[in-house]
Amino acid sequence: MPQQPIAYDAPTPEPRATSVEAIQSEILERLIYSVGKDPIVARPHDWLAATILTVRDRVMDRWMESSRETWRTSHKRVYYLSLEFLIGRLMRDAMSNVGLMEPVRDALRNLNVDLGDLIDLEPDAALGNGGLGRLAACFLESMSTVKIPAYGYGIRYVHGLFRQEMSEGWQVELPEEWLAHGNPWEFERRESAYEVGFGGYVEPVTDPDGTVRQEWRPNDHLLAVAFDTPIVGWRGARVNTLRLWSAQPIDPILLDKFNSGDHIGALEESAKAEAITRVLYPADSTAAGQELRLRQEFFFSSASLQDIVRRHLQQYGDLGSLADKVAIQLNDTHPAISIAELMRILVDDNGMEWAPAWKLCRGTFGYTNHTLLPEALESWPVALLERLLPRHMQIVYQINADVLADARGRAKFTDAQVANVSLIDEAGGRRVRMGQLAFVGSHSINGVSALHTELMKQTVFSDLHKLYPDRINNKTNGITPRRWLMQCNPGLTQLVSDTIGPAFLDDIDLLKDLDAYAEDATFQAQFAAVKLENKERLAKLIKDRLGIKVSPDAMFDVQIKRIHEYKRQLLNIIQAVALYDEIRAHPERDWVPRVKIFAGKAAPGYWNAKLIIKLINDVAKVINNDPAVRGLLKVVFLPNYNVSLAEVIVPAADLSEQISTAGMEASGTGNMKFMANGAITIGTMDGANVEMHKEVGADNIVIFGLTTEEVEVKRGEGEVPRDSIDASPRLQEALESIATGVFSPDDPNRYRDLIGGLYDHDWFMVARDFDAYATAQAEVDAIWADKARWNAMAIRNTARVGFFSSDRTIRQYAHDIWDVAVPEE
């Protein structure tokens, strides 16, 4: 029976006052009565907790009203399923978006507390790894800003990815303890707890009317318990919900085992359940790791779908209107099992016929693909799915039968094409292709940049695109300008506001008015002064954390992102070695001082990525301590890259390194963050760089290297990379010094195989693109020497970033995919 609709005509309290006096009084009240500290002995973390609670109270009013408004109007809801939500610190975000930054700052100043110190003290939520999770966070904030009713669904990781530290230049993975002292932003929803099952068997059951249906009887159960976090839109337009699932055992302790003396075994169920939400991306190189990863993905998918269906039935009473009132977006392939789970809920739990259920399923789901890399388009062994999710494997087979019948019958596909569209990969052990499942179960499949979307049609989904030609569309990624300009770069925001007026704060496209000031000498000087202040802040952080002194007057050349061979940090550090050699060989030249800044994490099992981090640190150790360089070149690797660190690095960057192998980066969003903050991009024609090139103009970006088509040709020709190396003396010299141990005297062979790979296959085109990259870097030096030209280019980057706002992206999703009305601005 559906639950009774909730009445929303009860009286509500008056919104809380936002004057400095009222906030000051409440901070003190919270400190004493919620935190339990006398102001005389309160420590910074006590003041932080009291301040968050005070700000949170003012968010709550808007949060409650947002929920009431959605129920009253029956507006369609969007549900965004993502294994990552890299939300970063929330206090400054909330204060800024509801207009409390200055009142809170003044209130704390009256109490002899510095707001900046408290902001830096708040831990980063360890809910993501990189671009995928940060995009999800930007999208949630933008959905609140453009007033779309939405929920984000993910996992409440206790430790997240990992905390990265360095030991003699090597990455060391340690647990991230962001929840160690609780999370004042979250609310446990004990009423929103769902059983999630695994294993067991499927039994046919005959209903009284003679209908035979399948009933899954799991033998392993746990609870998914909801924790909600408010996500505030700009100017408090709307507050949406991030709902994270925590895994808990149904029986926390097996008393019979405990009483029999097996005290460890008695906690086995607790350990098994809690393992699911301990760590983001558990290593899947072992069978146990694969199973845990699949359990994670099904756990949060099942809990989310049960919650969505429960909420829909509570309000509307039946599931026939599901696709009209619910839009579910799958953020990459991780939640793809949701397709099979929704079919199970519709057919098995709610008695729907297969055909209408499948139509409803497709009408509800959209799928965002973020990568063309085969390892990221997940697949699971059939045997694992049959053992862990036996009913879902049956459903996958049934979906596959329909797809293959369509391919054979309507489309007249060949055997090879049928094999390509099949959900089951028969090559080298039968596996379920989760990307294919997400594709066939969704009415919309979108790429995240124009180039990426076209490549999807030509490569990984070429035959599925032929079978369903109306499904693939493009939605170029975006970033929220609130966090990535207004909050992380208040100096630039104030300068722009003083120059063109504050209207751009509400309509980021108005930044284009800044174009008129690009050549203005006075504005250039002001713009450069803001950049210098941001660089001084970063230089201090580098000195404090690493003990390395860098000059803010040098060019800050930045590459911060996940460490992966296709992102080509290796190309960057090899060029640094070549530059080092040239500076020593020609001290008489007028060299541009540079600080090469790296940050990023390598997956624990990705040896080459971890080796590249070690190489960067080894090269840094030599170059930074060589008096012959005279400080003209410094190399810095900042450990434990996260949102808060990015918020310091991005505003300080002069040069943004976006140098991935063409055709391999789906979009990128770091490139957009740097662009907004007045950095010039050096990059390949890859991902969203292509659209950045169009928006900012060829004269305001530095492009180099092979195109996607040229990369494919070279790979297909089987050309020997050695020829490219032999033709470039500076590359040859740099590679030889690395390979022979110049930078690793303690282990001369440490990088022999890494460099040898460039001679033997060079899949990521590092050697082949090196000379073009070095030439582009020389062009960057020439531009830097002409300060008026550099500043003009930097200003135009900021002025033309409007297209890359996540507000624009979300409006396109709403109109083209979700069929959700966006209220008039």
Side-chain angles (χ1 to χ4, degrees):
M1 290 287 293
Q3 298 177 32
Q4 291 300 310
I6 298 171
Y8 280 106
D9 54 0
T12 57
E14 289 294 320
R16 291 175 181 264
T18 57
S19 66
V20 172
E21 295 75 15
I23 290 172
Q24 179 179 333
S25 175
E26 189 170 337
I27 290 174
L28 280 172
E29 185 177 331
R30 284 296 201 169
L31 182 71
I32 295 168
Y33 296 109
S34 296
V35 181
K37 277 292 184 75
D38 187 317
I40 297 171
V41 296
R43 309 295 295 167
H45 63 265
D46 300 317
W47 288 109
L48 172 65
T51 304
I52 288 176
L53 293 173
T54 301
V55 173
R56 193 187 74 177
D57 285 349
R58 283 149 180 81
V59 169
M60 294 301 297
D61 298 326
R62 293 169 171 85
W63 196 14
M64 298 298 178
E65 178 52 34
S66 296
S67 296
R68 293 189 195 101
E69 190 268 343
T70 304
W71 278 87
R72 282 195 302 263
T73 59
S74 299
H75 284 156
K76 190 174 187 178
R77 287 183 175 93
V78 173
Y79 297 99
Y80 198 81
L81 272 61
S82 179
L83 205 59
E84 298 184 43
F85 283 97
L86 203 56
I87 55 176
R89 293 167 172 161
L90 289 179
M91 185 172 74
R92 187 183 62 185
D93 196 49
M95 287 190 299
S96 175
N97 279 7
V98 297
L100 289 176
M101 187 73 80
E102 293 312 313
V104 171
R105 188 188 307 278
D106 292 344
L108 287 169
R109 185 183 297 117
N110 293 342
L111 297 167
N112 296 316
V113 178
D114 182 72
L115 174 60
D117 292 343
L118 299 191
I119 288 173
D120 291 341
L121 194 60
E122 184 180 9
D124 270 50
L127 300 172
N129 176 23
L132 181 81
R134 187 53 229 172
L135 181 79
C138 284
F139 277 8
L140 276 190
E141 194 264 10
S142 279
M143 281 187 261
S144 294
T145 294
V146 303
K147 303 180 183 177
I148 293 175
Y151 271 75
Y153 279 113
I155 293 179
R156 182 179 179 267
Y157 301 105
V158 177
H159 299 301
L161 187 64
F162 56 82
R163 187 175 84 255
Q164 181 194 54
E165 292 191 1
M166 293 294 135
S167 176
E168 298 183 347
W170 291 101
Q171 171 179 292
V172 176
E173 299 102 28
L174 298 170
E176 182 63 74
E177 299 287 352
W178 76 286
L179 282 174
H181 303 292
N183 176 12
W185 288 106
E186 69 182 10
F187 296 85
E188 182 180 0
R189 306 300 192 196
R190 285 181 288 176
E191 71 281 6
S192 296
Y194 301 93
E195 280 198 26
V196 178
F198 297 96
Y201 60 95
V202 180
E203 183 176 14
V205 175
T206 304
D207 289 335
D209 62 359
T211 304
V212 178
R213 59 183 176 81
Q214 304 299 317
E215 190 167 294
W216 178 31
R217 302 190 186 281
N219 59 11
D220 186 6
H221 299 263
L222 53 83
L223 279 180
V225 179
F227 286 78
D228 287 356
T229 299
I231 303 296
V232 189
W234 177 236
R235 302 206 188 279
R238 181 180 178 86
V239 180
N240 282 321
T241 301
L242 172 60
R243 174 159 286 187
L244 302 174
W245 299 107
S246 176
Q248 298 180 14
I250 291 175
D251 295 316
I253 183 169
L254 303 176
L255 278 175
D256 55 341
K257 281 194 174 185
F258 192 88
N259 290 332
S260 68
D262 186 2
H263 303 142
I264 303 300
L267 301 174
E268 180 182 349
E269 292 301 309
S270 291
K272 215 157 85 175
E274 291 167 6
I276 288 180
T277 51
R278 282 282 173 189
V279 176
L280 169 65
Y281 298 141
D284 59 358
S285 54
T286 64
Q290 286 184 28
E291 179 174 328
L292 179 57
R293 190 91 156 251
L294 180 56
R295 281 178 178 266
Q296 262 189 350
E297 294 179 3
F298 178 71
F299 162 78
F300 106 91
S301 297
S302 176
S304 302
L305 286 167
Q306 290 184 64
D307 197 43
I308 291 167
V309 169
R310 185 268 310 162
R311 186 176 297 109
H312 183 82
L313 287 174
Q314 181 176 327
Q315 185 163 10
Y316 302 106
D318 71 86
L319 291 169
S321 61
L322 188 70
D324 298 322
K325 295 297 182 182
V326 167
I328 303 175
Q329 193 69 28
L330 305 177
N331 192 28
D332 220 355
T333 56
H334 310 120
I337 195 65
S338 298
I339 304 289
E341 174 68 350
L342 182 58
M343 287 300 291
R344 186 194 67 78
I345 291 172
L346 295 177
V347 174
D348 297 359
D349 292 352
N350 290 275
M352 272 197 187
E353 294 293 329
W354 179 269
W358 184 236
K359 183 179 180 182
L360 209 58
C361 180
R362 285 202 318 272
T364 303
F365 278 110
Y367 162 50
T368 301
N369 173 274
H370 284 278
T371 182
L372 305 174
L373 297 176
E375 66 266 25
L377 285 171
E378 290 181 314
S379 66
W380 299 109
V382 167
L384 175 60
L385 263 171
E386 284 182 326
R387 176 171 58 81
L388 209 60
L389 303 170
R391 178 58 181 140
H392 299 78
M393 194 63 241
Q394 289 181 347
I395 291 169
V396 168
Y397 275 129
Q398 193 166 351
I399 294 170
N400 200 39
D402 292 346
V403 172
L404 298 189
D406 208 12
R408 283 285 190 200
R410 177 178 61 80
K412 310 299 182 189
F413 271 16
T414 65
D415 288 347
Q417 288 177 306
V418 168
N420 284 339
V421 301
S422 176
L423 305 189
I424 311 297
D425 185 357
E426 304 282 354
R430 296 167 67 246
R431 301 178 70 89
V432 179
R433 295 162 160 161
M434 302 310 283
Q436 313 283 84
L437 176 61
F439 191 112
V440 301
S442 301
H443 68 278
S444 165
I445 295 86
N446 71 281
V448 290
S449 73
L451 175 62
H452 169 235
T453 300
E454 287 308 306
L455 291 174
M456 280 171 56
K457 297 176 182 178
Q458 299 167 20
T459 58
V460 290
F461 294 134
S462 59
D463 286 315
L464 277 171
H465 176 55
K466 293 185 183 82
L467 187 60
Y468 306 113
D470 59 340
R471 295 194 190 180
I472 294 182
N473 60 93
N474 180 56
K475 298 289 172 284
T476 298
N477 282 344
I479 59 169
T480 168
R482 271 76 59 183
R483 184 177 288 259
W484 294 110
L485 177 58
M486 301 171 198
Q487 293 169 30
C488 76
N489 202 340
L492 181 56
T493 302
Q494 188 62 54
L495 174 62
V496 174
S497 184
D498 292 344
T499 305
I500 64 171
F504 79 96
L505 299 173
D506 298 292
D507 181 0
I508 199 67
D509 287 334
L510 294 179
L511 272 177
K512 63 180 181 293
D513 293 345
L514 209 59
D515 248 340
Y517 296 87
E519 307 283 351
D520 184 282
T522 300
F523 183 76
Q524 282 195 2
Q526 294 170 321
F527 191 90
V530 170
K531 178 68 73 173
L532 181 61
E533 185 178 338
N534 290 329
K535 291 171 72 175
E536 287 170 345
R537 179 186 176 202
L538 177 56
K540 182 179 184 304
L541 183 146
I542 291 170
K543 182 70 167 63
D544 291 345
R545 293 195 184 181
L546 301 177
I548 299 172
K549 186 177 180 181
V550 300
S551 170
D553 294 321
M555 182 198 303
F556 279 17
D557 175 352
V558 178
Q559 187 175 20
I560 50 173
K561 53 184 74 235
R562 179 166 51 96
I563 310 297
H564 196 291
E565 287 171 283
Y566 89 81
K567 294 180 184 284
R568 300 204 295 192
Q569 287 92 351
L570 183 58
L571 174 61
N572 192 346
I573 197 63
I574 290 170
Q575 193 269 332
V577 171
L579 180 59
Y580 169 59
D581 290 340
E582 290 186 59
I583 290 173
R584 291 186 301 165
H586 297 283
E588 77 285 358
R589 293 182 185 169
D590 189 15
W591 296 103
V592 169
R594 273 189 195 240
V595 181
K596 279 190 171 282
I597 298 167
F598 296 85
K601 295 178 181 179
Y606 192 170
W607 170 251
N608 270 8
K610 296 174 84 167
L611 192 60
I612 289 167
I613 292 175
K614 173 62 173 169
L615 174 61
I616 293 169
N617 283 312
D618 277 349
V619 169
K621 188 176 180 180
V622 171
I623 291 177
N624 296 347
N625 293 296
D626 188 341
V629 179
R630 294 163 291 143
L632 291 168
L633 179 63
K634 292 284 181 76
V635 178
V636 171
F637 187 96
L638 281 163
N640 205 38
Y641 179 55
N642 57 18
V643 175
S644 299
L645 183 56
E647 289 170 345
V648 179
I649 297 174
V650 168
D654 294 304
L655 186 67
S656 164
E657 298 270 356
Q658 308 298 330
I659 59 176
S660 53
T661 310
M664 301 199 74
E665 183 72 86
S667 169
T669 52
N671 45 6
M672 304 167 191
K673 294 161 193 164
F674 285 114
M675 181 183 179
N677 286 274
I680 294 170
T681 298
I682 181 170
T684 53
M685 289 295 268
D686 193 29
N689 288 356
V690 176
E691 286 145 290
M692 285 176 58
H693 179 268
K694 175 184 174 183
E695 293 294 323
V696 79
D699 293 339
N700 299 299
I701 190 171
V702 179
I703 297 295
F704 74 95
L706 299 170
T707 64
T708 302
E709 295 76 15
E710 290 167 341
V711 168
E712 288 305 308
V713 167
K714 288 195 175 293
R715 284 175 176 166
E717 287 175 346
E719 174 200 24
V720 180
R722 189 175 297 270
D723 294 342
S724 299
I725 297 171
D726 290 344
S728 175
R730 57 185 170 178
L731 172 60
Q732 201 172 23
E733 183 179 350
L735 294 182
E736 185 176 353
S737 63
I738 295 170
T740 57
V742 169
F743 299 97
S744 55
D746 57 317
D747 182 2
N749 293 322
R750 180 178 296 143
Y751 303 112
R752 183 187 59 192
D753 292 341
L754 181 68
I755 300 304
L758 302 184
Y759 283 89
D760 295 336
H761 47 82
D762 192 24
W763 180 257
F764 299 102
M765 305 287 153
V766 171
R768 293 171 174 93
D769 263 349
F770 176 83
D771 278 348
Y773 179 56
T775 300
Q777 289 286 18
E779 180 186 348
V780 168
D781 281 351
I783 299 169
W784 180 264
D786 183 347
K787 288 300 181 188
R789 182 185 174 196
W790 183 280
N791 289 332
M793 289 174 67
I795 292 164
R796 290 191 179 105
N797 269 268
T798 298
R800 299 176 189 181
V801 78
F803 174 77
F804 298 105
S805 165
S806 51
D807 297 352
R808 182 269 312 159
T809 313
I810 287 301
R811 289 190 179 100
Q812 290 179 344
Y813 272 93
H815 182 268
D816 300 340
I817 298 176
W818 301 331
D819 191 25
V820 172
V822 177
E824 291 298 322
E825 296 173 77

